[in-house]
Amino acid sequence: MKLTRLGLCAIACIAIMAGGCSSNKEVNYFQELQAGQEYTLPALTSIKLQPDDKLTIIVSTSDARLNSLYNLPIADARLNQAASGSSNTPSYSGNVAAYTIDKQGDINFPVLGRLHIAGMNREQVAEYIRRELISRDLAKNPIVTVEYLNLSVSVMGEVTKPGLYTFNKENFTILDALSAAGDLTIFGKRNNIKVLREENGKQKVYEVNLNSGHDLMNSPVYYMKQNDVIYVEPNSTKARTSTPNGNAVMTPSFWISIASFIATIAVLVIK
């Protein structure tokens, strides 16, 4: 009877192991990082505007009539509200009217007409418009504010909430994107995350290893660009527990049930 009990325990252990578990080396992020260590982040490259990008442009001058002339109606309403305060910098919130860059990389700006801004970052667009207003003697010392509106990344695969996530800042990282998606599931492969990025009319694939903080922070895709696609592969455990049709049959509970069935048969045979 003693051997029988040992045999049953062995069967149960083998069954649980067959169901698969992920080791800490597969799951933990930034494994080599220690408290007090310092790493230099990759250089932040500005996001370059491209066709179909949307942005808000607000021109602030000391003349309310010029403000109404250069700003789209919704943005102008926010600007007029801000003009009553003491700040010289325009402030606005909520929904604002947007400019959409056309297929040629242009926008149609009030008074100035068509402006080619594709390939610029938002600071360059602001300076470009400011110079045009001054050089054409249309405004004196204008303040031009440019903000992104529809930049987004897609997060797919083994994350809690796959989807399309928008951002409006330059330093939006892959960690920000994965956090927005609720982090990886326990079945997500952390050492081989794929990032698809459009470069010069072609789709380029990068790989990111979240297990290594050093590799992550030296990745060229540490900072996200508009239209990036992040794909998290399932690990071997998830692959083993799914059939070609996507049904989870070989799960730990399945193997435990098999082990219990074998144990019951074994007891009946012994008796």
Side-chain angles (χ1 to χ4, degrees):
M1 180 62 75
K2 182 177 181 181
L3 291 176
T4 301
R5 287 177 180 173
L6 290 174
L8 296 180
C9 289
I11 292 172
C13 290
I14 291 171
I16 293 173
M17 291 174 65
C21 347
S22 297
S23 68
N24 287 340
K25 288 185 177 180
E26 294 175 338
V27 174
N28 292 347
Y29 297 161
F30 328 132
Q31 293 175 21
E32 80 281 20
L33 298 189
Q34 302 295 327
Q37 284 184 321
E38 294 182 355
Y39 281 86
T40 301
L41 293 176
L44 177 61
T45 56
S46 299
I47 293 174
K48 304 297 184 181
L49 292 164
Q50 57 191 31
D52 294 329
D53 283 348
K54 296 181 185 294
L55 62 159
T56 61
I57 303 173
I58 294 181
V59 177
S60 175
T61 72
S62 57
D63 190 331
R65 292 172 299 177
L66 291 179
N67 294 339
S68 299
L69 181 63
Y70 296 130
N71 294 293
L72 295 180
I74 300 177
D76 182 57
R78 303 295 189 276
L79 187 62
N80 288 336
Q81 291 174 8
S84 62
S86 58
S87 174
N88 292 323
T89 302
S91 62
Y92 53 93
S93 60
N95 296 323
V96 295
Y99 294 90
T100 301
I101 303 175
D102 64 21
K103 297 301 181 183
Q104 288 71 44
D106 301 338
I107 59 170
N108 193 14
F109 196 79
V111 183
L112 297 180
R114 294 184 69 82
L115 301 176
H116 185 75
I117 63 171
M120 297 182 182
N121 59 38
R122 60 181 173 184
E123 288 82 8
Q124 290 170 333
V125 173
E127 180 59 20
Y128 175 35
I129 293 174
R130 192 185 74 85
R131 287 201 314 265
E132 287 295 308
L133 291 173
I134 294 174
S135 65
R136 300 189 196 185
D137 200 23
L138 297 172
K140 293 182 178 180
N141 300 320
I143 298 174
V144 182
T145 304
V146 178
E147 297 290 345
Y148 303 125
L149 276 185
N150 71 326
L151 305 185
S152 63
V153 297
S154 298
V155 186
M156 307 168 59
E158 285 295 329
V159 293
T160 304
K161 298 180 293 183
L164 186 69
Y165 293 91
T166 59
F167 63 100
N168 60 3
K169 62 179 183 177
E170 301 276 0
N171 59 338
F172 188 78
T173 70
I174 186 172
L175 297 178
D176 293 326
L178 292 173
S179 296
D183 200 4
L184 280 67
T185 70
I186 193 65
F187 297 113
K189 186 181 289 186
R190 283 141 171 81
N191 63 355
N192 189 25
I193 293 175
K194 300 287 194 303
V195 176
L196 283 66
R197 172 171 293 175
E198 185 177 336
E199 295 180 350
N200 301 318
K202 297 181 180 179
Q203 197 84 323
K204 187 171 182 179
V205 180
Y206 293 88
E207 293 182 352
V208 178
N209 180 10
L210 291 184
N211 291 145
S212 169
H214 180 268
D215 290 352
L216 170 66
M217 294 175 193
N218 284 279
S219 171
V221 291
Y222 179 74
Y223 293 110
M224 295 281 94
K225 303 294 185 184
Q226 68 266 54
N227 305 322
D228 280 352
V229 177
I230 301 171
Y231 174 64
V232 181
E233 291 185 57
N235 59 22
S236 57
T237 300
K238 182 63 177 288
R240 286 196 303 268
T241 59
S242 299
T243 67
N245 293 327
N247 300 317
V249 174
M250 299 174 66
T251 60
S253 59
F254 170 82
W255 285 105
I256 291 172
S257 298
I258 292 295
S260 299
F261 174 75
I262 293 173
T264 301
I265 296 299
V267 170
L268 291 176
V269 170
I270 292 170
K271 287 184 176 181

